[in-house]
Structure formats: C-alpha cells, structure tokens
Amino acid sequence: MREHKVYVHPSGPLVALVGNPNCGKTALFNLLTGSRQKVANYAGVTVERKEGLMRLADGKPLRILDLPGTYSLYPRSEDERITCDVLMGRALGEKRPQALVCVVDATNLRMGLRLVLAVKRLGLPCIVALNMSDLAAKRGLHIDSQALGDALGLPVVGTVAIQHDGHTALRDWLENAAWLDSQTPAPATDSVASPSPEADHKVVQDILRRLSLDTAVPDAFSDRLDRVLLHPAMGPLILLVVLFLIFQAVFSWAVAPMDAIKFATTWLADLVVAHLPETWWRSLLTDGLIAGLGGVVVFLPQILILFFFILVLEESGYLPRAAFLLDRIMGSVGLSGRSFIPLLSSFACAIPGIMATRTIANQRDRMVTILIAPLMTCSARLPVYALLIGAFIPQRVVAGVELQGLVLFGLYVAGILGAMLVAWVLKRLSDAGRHSRPLMMELPAYHLPSLRNVAIGLRQRVRIFLHRVGGTIMALTLALWFLASYPSAPENADRPAIEYSYAGAMGYALQKVFDPIGFNWQISIALVPGMAAREVAVSSLATVYALSANNEDTAEALAPVLAAQWSLATALSLLAWFVFAPQCLSTLAAIKRETGGWKMPLVTATYLFVLAYAAAWLTYHVALALGWG
C-alpha cells in the first residue's frame, strides 16, 4: 500500500473533520478556519487532506483537518484510505488527531450515524455536528440533539455551514473541551473492526425508531426535478442543451472584457515604445513581457465565464445526475458513471481530475480514467482555441447559433469522443473491462447555488491563472525571448533577426518533423515551451511573431497576423493537435505520483503524441483536399 505524505502546522492540537461525502464538511471547515476551499454539491471534491487554523478565544491555534469523505472505516478507494490512515495514526509524518468532529447530514441520519458508531470506537474525544439542520427542519424532521446525544453517548450539536454563525455551538465545544490541555493523541486501536456493519445498522435503526426519526421524509422538490432531468429521453437532451449554451456564452459574453484587455495591452506597449529608447530591454518589455503575457491574460474572461457555469452546476447538485445519465454511455466503453466526475474535473485541469480518481474503488477503472483524463479539454487549452477560432472562424450567427461558440463546443466534444474511443479500445483489450459494473452513488438534494461558494471558486481560478502567468508562463516567455533574440542577425541579413537566433534554428529543425501536418517553424518553436503549460503556446506565438515583424504594430493583435500568414488547413491542424496533444509536464508528474511509477506517464505521453500527430495529419490533408490550403 502506498504511503500518504502530509505536511502539517508545527503547533496546536489537531481536530479532524470526518463524515460521509457531500455532508458539508468542507463548508464547515471554511466556516471554522476562514479558509477558501472549494465546496461543491457532489461527492469527490475533497480527495486530499486540507488543513487550516482556528484561533480560540485566548489566541491559541487549533489545527482543523478536512478529510476526504468516507462511508465507513473499511476503505474501498484511495480517498477513503487517506482518511482511515490519518484516523488510525498510520499517515506518514503526522500524529493522530486529538479529537474528531463527525459531520452528519441531518437529512440522511441512517447513513451518517453508522459512521458515527465506527468513529466513536476509535477512542478519541468526539462530537457529532448535525449539519444542514435547517433543511431537516424544513422537511419536518424535528431532531432532539440532547436525546440523540444520550442515545449515541456523544455530544451532538446542530450546524448550518452556509450561515456565518452556523457553527456557534460547535465552536463553543471546541473552546471548552478538556482534551485541549493534552497534546498526546490516544493510541491507535483496532476496536473499530469488532462489530459487523449489520450490527451497526441495527443499532442505528433502533435509535431512529426510539426518537421517531425512522420514517423517511422525501424531498419533494428534488423528486419533481428528477422526474424531468433524469427522464430517459429528456434528461440527456437537457444535458446536451445546457453544455451547448455554456459554450455559446463563453464567446458572446466575453467580447467586452476581452476588448478592454486588448486595449490596455496595446496602450501599455505604445507607452513603452514612446518613452523608451530602442534597446534590448525595450524589446524585452514590448516583444517579450507585454506581447507574451498580454496574449494569455486576454483569455481570462472566457475562462471565468466557463467556470462560472461549471461552479453553478456543481453547487446545484446537478452533476451527480449528469453522471447517472451518462452511466450507460460510460458502460459501453468499459467504465461506469463514477468516472464522470473526475473527467469533469479535468475540464478545469487534468491534475485535480487525476487526483479525483481516488474515489473510484475499482482499480482497473481508476487506471483507465487516469489514462483518458488528459483528453478532457482543460482550461489551459482554451486560450489556444479562442485565439485560433477568433482568427479563422468568422463571428457570425447561423440559424440563431453563434458560429464560434459552436466550433468551441465541437472541440470539447472531440476530446470527449477521443477519450471514449481510447476507453473502448482498452475495454476490448481487457477481460475485466468487458464486464459491466452497476453504478451506485448518492444523489444529493438540489440546492440554490451559493454566491459565496461560486465567488470562492472563481477567485481560486483567477489566482491559479495569474500565478501561472506570473510564474511559469513569464519565465518561459522570457527564456523564449532570449533564445529568439540571440545571436543577433548579421549586418547583411535579409530576413527577420529571429530566423538567425537559437530559437529560429530550433524551429527550422523541428519543422522537418511537423511539416507533414502543416506546422511552420514558428508553431514548432511554440510547441516546446507549451509542454510546460498549454497557455505558453499563445505567449510564445505572440513573442515569436512580434520579433518576426517588420513593423511595431504586429505585436498589437496576434489573431490578424495568424489569419494573414497561416492557411485554414494549418489552423485546423493545430486545433486537432491540441485536442489530443500530450499534457503539460505537471500532469505527467501527477500521473506518476498517483500510480507510483513511470510506466503510466510514459504510456500516456506516447499514446497522446501518436494520437495528436495522426489527428493533425488527417485534418490537414482533408482540409487541403477541400481546397482550404
């Protein structure tokens, strides 16, 4: 079994939040610590431990640990194993928690209380937090916390994690508990395994019967929605329409903010040119930093619009329904609907998607999902798509549909179809993949999206994006500017100086490999730093064409330059390449970390390169045959 490394705060007692998936642990964690962790209305969001600090009234720190959701202390998947390792004191480099907060969904006591009984046997100070107690009351569930606590032999408090004061009773317990004076956690115990799950189920049933809580109260609102959204015919059609409208909005809503960013970039470049002498460092600022970074930042509005809709769907509870709707399709290629959520996470970035496969108990399904996760169109590809679509696809409405948004939707669909094709091939090559496995997953109640949680998610995306722009992208842009600027052109040069540089030589060498798929030497240069981060391909093209230009205004707008110098066949070939191309190096590193070796990263990089080259070659030659050269 692979050990899980953790990194901890050096001081303060440790309290762990444990509970079923989708019980509101992370929302409660944010409330206690003031953190801004992602919260979503489906299982599988918290797939690794998160830690924050809560300050007590006397100023002392209390470390709060948000563990992945689990249904029992018998781990069936990697994320559940992480939780059990921490609770049992087996996590590498971390002491056992001093106390536990067992978070229970008040609207689903049967499921939550079985875990409470197992957690109680761990021998640690423990309190039960009845979360979503407001929803339980609205459904007519009147829970006597004192009576339930007496039956469990544990303190019980009500919490509402979406309210700013919904943790008051829990905080009071944490402030006044006697265990705060002890820094030594209780030793690990195996008593958790003594009773059978059936015995725990019987105890829970008895408790609920004595407290008159054994009658299920249906969620009428969710049931009415599900009759439409999960309809065998209407459900998939509604899902397709929702996704289609999202991609339409990505282009139509982003026009104004993108124009504003373009104007600001042009204004800044003109300002530098007007006030600085013609030196190497002016070229560094205009052709390197402003042209390179500005060419990437301009696509931030489209990324935020896309993630706004994804976060709303997450918050509402619709995503598990989408997994249910897609289970039959996923089963046809040897997977289950449980792979849907990790694959959906990969639309943000393949790395969290790969980590989210820890929720998949079947090892074969987990490995296949990891293999195809890089084929999902991550946000880093969006700047490349937006650049090429904006340059080569006219901005027009056809039959009431925005043409550019339709093309973007088609690129996302192409990635999905490619992933399904790879999974189908792997199914044919594996006996285990030919046997269907039924999907069992919890469908949470629908909720109105929380603006606070949506704002937190968007803030995280902005921070991640700008961190990449100011870190990896800027470093690679500066490195490329140096390689594209030196050595200088000879005195009698009749071509742009970049063609005599190190980057120019590298580009012409690589062009021999990529010429059959229509790539010129400028594209060949951009592909190299693009392996570190997809967005760098755009900044690299901006830098290369700025340095290739014979006049200053070329750097002001990259799209018109590409439209003038590339054929449509080349643009379509590059789009096909980016649909399937090997992911960034960080993704390959994540695959190595999750699989414990280099075999899977090497297999992934190899098959993606072959697939990308084949798709680009086919696209290019079909486009030439259609006269688009």
Side-chain angles (χ1 to χ4, degrees):
M1 182 180 65
R2 196 161 49 85
E3 292 181 313
H4 305 287
K5 294 183 179 181
V6 294
Y7 303 91
V8 301
H9 193 272
S11 63
L14 180 65
V15 179
L17 302 183
V18 61
N20 296 154
N22 198 50
C23 67
K25 283 186 297 79
T26 302
L28 193 58
F29 172 82
N30 287 341
L31 202 58
L32 290 168
T33 65
S35 299
R36 296 292 184 268
Q37 297 292 349
K38 180 181 178 182
V39 179
N41 188 20
Y42 64 89
V45 175
T46 307
V47 291
E48 61 179 349
R49 43 108 57 211
K50 298 186 179 87
E51 183 178 321
L53 279 183
M54 170 184 157
R55 291 287 175 181
L56 302 178
D58 59 3
K60 293 181 180 178
L62 191 66
R63 294 164 51 205
I64 307 294
L65 200 60
D66 178 23
L67 294 172
T70 182
Y71 289 104
S72 73
L73 298 186
Y74 300 92
R76 297 171 301 168
S77 58
E78 282 295 305
D79 61 324
E80 291 186 345
R81 183 167 289 110
I82 292 173
T83 296
C84 292
D85 284 350
V86 172
L87 296 180
M88 302 295 183
R90 295 193 297 256
L92 183 64
E94 180 167 50
K95 292 182 180 180
R96 201 170 180 227
Q98 272 99 334
L100 302 174
V101 176
C102 200
V103 185
V104 174
D105 180 353
T107 66
N108 190 4
L109 292 176
R110 283 183 177 81
M111 187 74 71
L113 293 184
R114 288 202 294 267
L115 180 62
V116 169
L117 295 178
V119 168
K120 178 183 176 182
R121 290 192 292 271
L122 292 173
L124 295 170
C126 181
I127 184 172
V128 176
L130 282 179
N131 201 34
M132 299 185 241
S133 52
D134 57 333
L135 291 179
K138 289 179 180 178
R139 296 185 193 176
L141 287 173
H142 301 290
I143 304 173
D144 186 335
S145 298
Q146 183 62 48
L148 180 59
D150 292 341
L152 292 171
L154 294 171
V156 176
V157 296
T159 60
V160 182
I162 61 172
Q163 296 179 2
H164 74 278
D165 59 349
H167 65 313
T168 302
L170 175 59
R171 185 181 178 92
D172 290 343
W173 184 84
L174 293 172
E175 288 270 6
N176 301 310
W179 56 267
L180 279 171
D181 297 328
S182 173
Q183 292 289 318
T184 304
T189 174
D190 292 329
S191 62
V192 62
S194 50
S196 66
E198 292 77 13
D200 281 348
H201 178 71
K202 185 177 180 181
V203 172
V204 169
Q205 290 292 92
D206 182 61
I207 292 174
L208 295 179
R209 186 164 45 251
R210 282 189 283 127
L211 299 180
S212 300
L213 297 171
D214 56 329
T215 302
V217 179
D219 182 357
F221 176 73
S222 293
D223 289 344
R224 288 196 299 270
L225 278 182
D226 281 341
R227 279 195 286 271
V228 177
L229 298 180
L230 296 183
H231 189 275
M234 291 294 296
L237 180 61
I238 292 173
L239 175 60
L240 184 65
V241 170
V242 167
L243 295 176
F244 178 76
L245 292 177
I246 288 174
F247 293 116
Q248 289 290 301
V250 166
F251 271 94
S252 59
W253 291 11
V255 172
M258 289 181 70
D259 287 344
I261 295 175
K262 290 176 184 177
F263 176 81
T265 302
T266 302
W267 174 83
L268 184 59
D270 291 343
L271 185 68
V272 171
V273 170
H275 290 83
L276 293 180
E278 188 174 352
T279 58
W280 66 267
W281 41 275
R282 190 183 82 172
S283 174
L284 173 64
L285 288 175
T286 57
D287 301 328
L289 288 177
I290 297 176
L293 301 186
V296 177
V297 173
V298 71
F299 299 106
L300 179 59
Q302 291 179 320
I303 293 174
L304 291 182
I305 290 170
L306 175 62
F307 279 98
F308 168 78
F309 285 106
I310 291 178
L311 289 168
V312 167
L313 293 180
E314 289 179 351
E315 276 281 301
S316 66
Y318 182 63
L319 289 187
R321 274 79 179 179
F324 177 82
L325 290 170
L326 295 173
D327 182 57
R328 180 174 297 179
I329 297 175
M330 303 289 281
S332 67
V333 296
L335 296 172
S336 75
R338 190 166 290 278
S339 295
F340 169 74
I341 290 175
L343 294 177
L344 182 76
S345 300
S346 299
F347 282 108
C349 176
I351 295 173
I354 290 166
M355 293 172 61
T357 62
R358 297 174 186 175
T359 63
I360 302 175
N362 183 278
Q363 188 66 10
R364 184 256 172 205
D365 284 6
R366 181 172 182 246
M367 290 299 107
V368 173
T369 306
I370 287 175
L371 271 176
I372 65 175
L375 285 169
M376 300 297 104
T377 301
C378 65
S379 60
R381 286 184 173 109
L382 188 57
V384 181
Y385 289 170
L387 171 67
L388 297 179
I389 290 173
F392 290 92
I393 305 300
Q395 189 176 0
R396 66 175 62 158
V397 176
V398 179
V401 176
E402 171 65 47
L403 184 59
Q404 292 182 335
L406 180 62
V407 173
L408 180 64
F409 179 71
L411 292 171
Y412 275 74
V413 171
I416 295 171
L417 293 178
M420 296 301 100
L421 176 62
V422 172
W424 181 82
V425 171
L426 294 175
K427 172 187 177 180
R428 308 303 300 175
L429 297 176
S430 168
D431 290 336
R434 297 172 188 169
H435 303 291
S436 61
R437 289 171 289 279
L439 173 65
M440 296 181 64
M441 67 184 305
E442 184 181 0
L443 295 181
Y446 289 101
H447 298 302
L448 284 175
S450 164
L451 293 179
R452 178 178 181 271
N453 291 337
V454 172
I456 288 173
L458 291 177
R459 177 185 174 186
Q460 288 179 338
R461 293 312 311 172
V462 171
R463 187 172 66 248
I464 291 170
F465 182 82
L466 294 181
H467 176 75
R468 288 167 69 92
V469 169
T472 303
I473 295 176
M474 184 171 69
L476 291 173
T477 299
L478 293 177
L480 181 61
W481 173 86
F482 174 82
L483 293 175
S485 300
Y486 297 96
S488 302
E491 293 183 1
N492 59 348
D494 57 354
R495 292 176 293 157
I498 188 175
E499 298 191 31
Y500 299 93
S501 67
Y502 299 120
M506 180 175 63
Y508 279 113
L510 290 174
Q511 186 179 3
K512 297 176 182 178
V513 177
F514 293 110
D515 186 65
I517 58 177
F519 291 1
N520 57 26
W521 64 271
Q522 293 99 327
I523 298 174
S524 301
I525 293 175
L527 293 181
V528 176
M531 280 296 295
R534 280 283 170 260
E535 308 97 320
V536 180
V538 174
S539 64
S540 299
L541 286 172
T543 298
V544 169
Y545 276 98
L547 292 170
S548 301
N550 293 320
N551 52 70
E552 293 292 338
D553 61 357
T554 306
E556 295 180 2
L558 180 58
V561 177
L562 301 187
Q565 298 190 23
W566 292 5
S567 68
L568 179 58
T570 292
L572 295 177
S573 176
L574 187 57
L575 284 173
W577 170 271
F578 272 100
V579 169
F580 302 105
Q583 281 288 299
C584 60
L585 297 178
S586 299
T587 299
L588 298 178
I591 295 175
K592 176 186 180 297
R593 184 174 63 248
E594 291 298 312
T595 60
W598 282 106
K599 179 181 177 181
M600 288 291 284
L602 292 175
V603 169
T604 303
T606 301
Y607 99 80
L608 288 176
F609 183 85
V610 172
L611 199 58
Y613 199 97
W617 186 92
L618 181 62
T619 301
Y620 181 66
H621 287 278
V622 169
L624 290 179
L626 293 174
W628 296 345

